[in-house]
Amino acid sequence: MKTLVANWKMQLGVRESVALARGVLRALRGRREVPNVLLAPSFPAIPEVVKALGRSRVHVAAQNMHEEESGAYTGEVSAKSLKELGVRAVIIGHSERRAFFGEDDVRVARKAAQAVLTGVHPIVCVGEPLAVREAGEAAGYVHDQLAAVFGADEMPRRARVTVAYEPIWAIGTGVTASVHDVAEMHAAIRTQLSSYGMERVQVLYGGSVTPENAYEFLHHEAVDGVLVGGASTRLGSLVALLDILGDVTS
Ligand code: PGA
């Protein structure tokens, strides 16, 4: 069963998020096989979206969390609070967090470990900048990012985790990585995590995924699903993506 994670970033308000979640439920109604769909609204929209999704098989992911269990961290949100709200998963180390909020590998590692310990499924984002890709060093760059998180002592080895490979130059640009390069990177990611004793790993691709290009990624056996930003914030393209997900899943 392939997975779609809809990362709504800070694009939608609470009411828009609830309306889109309801649209997803309508689109999936009556389907025999429901693909794995995770909707990631901004924090304030989470309780309403969880409520709107009710007992359906569509679940909510958060876009971020703090690495500590609790403490004096004004403005931050703990994994425990997310769990209490019914959040299933959390996106960690998105390149926008790394670029705009100074998140480094050490924090990403601690967040991922805290999520696992709390029982919230971590979706850890990795991916290289353009200059690194052009220099032919993408594999090494992603390897180091993964080593920091999954090679860390605090990461429980038996954890079920998701890695989203999102080349930075492909995010929000309309340019995607080639399926060949993605498949190669995904294989390397799996091999590396397996070397840490981690076998229950799902690997997603993210970066300018649209209904026009989703099939070729989702169809590939090395791609367990997609993490979608822009195209997941509009009902038309989100439903089109769900249709494609249903086609490859069934
Ligand atoms: P995009 O965003 O689909 O708009 O490129 C992907 C992401 O940031 O996760």
Side-chain angles (χ1 to χ4, degrees):
M1 191 82 81
K2 303 240 170 174
T3 296
L4 182 142
V5 181
N7 178 10
W8 293 343
K9 307 192 179 183
M10 203 179 72
Q11 305 286 13
L12 306 177
V14 176
R15 268 176 281 184
E16 290 164 319
S17 301
V18 171
L20 196 48
R22 291 205 177 112
V24 167
L25 288 187
R26 270 197 306 278
L28 294 176
R29 198 169 291 155
R31 289 201 192 176
R32 263 186 307 121
E33 284 211 64
V34 178
N36 292 324
V37 182
L38 281 162
L39 306 179
S42 57
F43 285 135
I46 286 177
E48 291 292 320
V49 171
V50 168
K51 198 159 29 141
L53 295 174
R55 298 166 70 87
S56 76
R57 276 179 287 166
V58 179
H59 298 295
V60 171
Q63 299 174 14
N64 182 31
M65 56 170 273
H66 194 270
E67 62 269 30
E68 292 295 337
E69 191 183 340
S70 63
Y73 300 104
T74 302
E76 291 293 317
V77 175
S78 67
K80 178 170 173 253
S81 298
L82 297 175
K83 176 122 178 126
E84 283 171 352
L85 287 176
V87 168
R88 290 291 179 104
V90 56
I91 299 170
I92 292 173
H94 189 280
S95 67
E96 287 153 14
R97 302 256 3 131
R98 294 178 191 252
F100 305 138
F101 303 98
E103 274 186 27
D104 58 11
D105 286 337
V106 173
R107 289 195 79 184
V108 173
R110 295 183 61 208
K111 287 181 184 210
Q114 184 63 251
V116 169
L117 291 174
T118 312
V120 181
H121 182 85
I123 302 166
V124 176
C125 300
V126 294
E128 78 287 354
L130 186 57
V132 170
R133 165 66 59 179
E134 286 176 345
E137 288 161 6
Y141 188 94
V142 169
H143 183 278
D144 291 350
Q145 287 183 316
L146 291 170
V149 177
F150 298 106
D153 288 342
E154 63 260 35
M155 174 58 68
R157 291 287 167 260
R158 305 182 74 80
R160 202 172 62 82
V161 299
T162 296
V163 174
Y165 170 55
E166 300 203 296
I168 295 172
W169 45 272
I171 295 178
T173 57
V175 180
T176 61
S178 74
V179 177
H180 175 267
D181 287 350
V182 169
E184 209 171 70
M185 189 67 87
H186 282 204
I189 291 170
R190 252 182 261 281
T191 305
Q192 186 180 352
L193 267 68
S194 158
S195 78
Y196 303 136
M198 304 187 73
E199 304 291 348
R200 299 194 300 160
V201 177
Q202 186 185 39
V203 189
L204 314 180
Y205 168 73
S208 295
V209 173
T210 63
E212 287 69 43
N213 60 32
Y215 186 81
E216 51 172 341
F217 290 110
L218 286 167
H219 185 61
H220 201 290
E221 59 177 8
V223 178
D224 296 323
V226 286
L227 200 167
V228 188
S232 78
T233 61
R234 295 175 295 275
L235 185 60
S237 45
L238 181 53
V239 170
L241 287 165
L242 295 174
D243 288 341
I244 296 164
L245 201 63
D247 286 348
V248 289
T249 298
S250 53

